[in-house]
Amino acid sequence: MRIYQVETPRPSRYTGNLNAAHRWSLPGLADCPGCGATWSTAGLHYPCVDLTSLPTRHEYEEPRAEPYEEWARLREQVRPQVPHGFALMPGTKFGPMTGRASGTFGQLHLQAWSLSLRSEALEQLRQSGLQGLNGCPMQLKGSKRNPPELLELQLTPCGRFHPDCLPSDREPPCPTCGVESYGLPAPYLLDTTSIPTTVDVFRLADWPTLILATQRFVDAVQRLELEGVTFRQVAVR
């Protein structure tokens, strides 16, 4: 089994930049009663989760940290809107990215832990038989008359680090908020038993800023000559 980390090419002939953000988010957590931590995660983006019909949607518009009881109330209030099994952590973001785009974009674009692509690229990848490609149109303005039509992929959080790459003396996860205090292993190693079989591109559940792809995804991108990202193979055991 071969798994690859999706990366931005350096250097790149594309100059695309997104100055955009998701409309809603869960607050951060303040002073967890289990471990005392104040924290917010990065990388959990659910752009296809639209809170427009939620009467209390305004409660998710202001970035802030909340005590655990209030944070948990907001989490449970939004849970029915989120696909089953998707993690809800402090700082989880919802809704399409809205903002401005500048520069030139390839068929795929990776920025700020978001993987986006042009609609024709999404259709080509779907026709190649790839699984788990759910894209949400971004709401972008640009300096040009016609800004790029990009869709952000809603990536399933799954997959785990292999225990052999984690500190042997690490503390167990907080039983209340689930936070773990260790840095990104370098290099990291994936647990083969946790690799998904129903999606071809996903976020690593243990570290959501890492976007990973299967060999099938890499082969399709290269066969179709889609540009904008590169791939680096990661170890699996």
Side-chain angles (χ1 to χ4, degrees):
M1 177 182 298
R2 294 182 179 178
I3 300 295
Y4 299 79
Q5 182 174 330
V6 184
E7 299 181 327
T8 301
R10 304 289 187 206
S12 174
R13 68 188 187 94
Y14 296 103
T15 61
N17 181 68
L18 297 173
N19 183 11
H22 300 87
R23 182 173 178 182
W24 303 287
S25 67
L26 275 177
L29 177 62
D31 302 320
C32 171
C35 64
T38 294
W39 65 284
S40 180
T41 194
L44 283 181
H45 303 166
Y46 303 143
C48 300
V49 175
D50 187 352
L51 302 187
T52 302
S53 62
L54 190 68
T56 56
R57 60 188 177 277
H58 63 279
E59 296 184 299
Y60 302 89
E61 294 176 351
E62 180 185 353
R64 63 196 187 282
E66 293 282 5
Y68 181 78
E69 287 188 1
E70 174 63 6
W71 178 83
R73 181 188 73 82
L74 293 169
R75 177 192 61 188
E76 295 311 307
Q77 190 170 253
V78 79
R79 190 182 294 278
Q81 311 288 326
V82 179
H84 177 72
F86 278 37
L88 285 171
M89 307 294 282
T92 301
K93 301 184 185 304
F94 311 106
M97 291 189 75
T98 302
R100 300 188 66 84
S102 60
T104 59
F105 291 80
Q107 289 85 11
L108 295 97
H109 181 74
L110 178 66
Q111 181 181 328
W113 313 304
S114 292
L115 179 60
S116 57
L117 70 176
R118 296 178 181 270
S119 57
E120 60 271 21
L122 177 59
E123 184 59 30
Q124 288 178 297
L125 291 172
R126 283 175 173 166
Q127 290 180 357
S128 298
L130 298 185
Q131 303 179 86
L133 300 183
N134 191 12
C136 179
M138 296 182 175
Q139 299 174 2
L140 299 174
K141 297 180 180 179
S143 55
K144 298 181 180 180
R145 179 172 298 179
N146 296 313
E149 294 184 3
L150 296 176
L151 299 93
E152 182 184 6
L153 286 179
Q154 180 163 283
L155 301 172
T156 305
C158 48
R160 299 287 180 183
F161 289 128
H162 193 284
D164 287 353
C165 75
L166 298 176
S168 58
D169 60 348
R170 69 187 184 281
E171 295 291 329
C174 172
T176 302
C177 71
V179 70
E180 296 187 76
S181 55
Y182 61 83
L184 176 63
Y188 62 86
L189 177 66
L190 301 180
D191 185 344
T192 187
T193 64
S194 73
I195 301 301
T197 59
T198 57
V199 295
D200 284 303
V201 60
F202 58 97
R203 292 190 186 279
L204 188 65
D206 278 350
W207 206 273
T209 58
L210 294 178
I211 297 177
L212 304 174
T214 64
Q215 184 73 58
R216 281 160 41 92
F217 187 90
V218 174
D219 288 345
V221 168
Q222 294 177 343
R223 183 178 66 254
L224 294 166
E225 299 182 341
L226 304 178
E227 297 183 331
V229 300
T230 58
F231 303 99
R232 176 172 59 86
Q233 187 172 355
V234 298
V236 177
R237 180 183 299 170

